[in-house]
Amino acid sequence: MQPGGLIASFGNAGGIELKTTVLPFILRGVRLIGVDSAFTPMPLRRRVWERLAGDLKPRHLAQIAHTIGFADLPLYFERMLKGQVRGRAVVKVG
């Protein structure tokens, strides 16, 4: 978190709890903003998705994410439990 920075937060898949204090934000002059993904109009969503697939796409995405098939999940879970997995996996269903 850089001084004068901004943190955009969205989603609550793991819950709504934030385990921190406001002190790091205050001391660094950082702003915490929320992203209203549930009620964002579709035209704006499309523009954001286009940018995420274009100029905002991480350059190192191939090193941190990969695709696996649905049938490969049992073996992948075994590898996860052994600590043999790095990055994120996108599961291709169907």
Side-chain angles (χ1 to χ4, degrees):
M1 195 170 35
Q2 294 181 356
L6 181 130
I7 297 174
S9 179
F10 59 94
N12 62 355
I16 60 172
E17 216 171 292
L18 178 63
K19 298 180 181 182
T20 187
T21 68
V22 295
L23 196 56
F25 296 92
I26 294 169
L27 292 176
R28 291 176 179 88
V30 171
R31 293 168 289 158
L32 173 63
I33 64 168
V35 176
D36 182 5
S37 58
F39 296 105
T40 301
M42 191 53 71
L44 178 56
R45 288 181 192 215
R46 284 194 178 102
R47 286 199 311 268
V48 170
W49 291 334
E50 286 170 6
R51 290 211 51 208
L52 288 171
D55 65 301
L56 295 176
K57 185 176 181 178
R59 292 185 192 113
H60 64 295
L61 188 59
Q63 286 88 34
I64 62 172
H66 55 280
T67 304
I68 63 171
F70 186 77
D72 298 323
L73 282 175
L75 178 61
Y76 193 79
F77 292 150
E78 285 181 34
R79 291 183 55 222
M80 283 178 72
L81 292 172
K82 293 177 183 175
Q84 299 172 341
V85 171
R86 250 184 107 139
R88 300 287 186 257
V90 176
V91 180
K92 185 174 181 179
V93 180

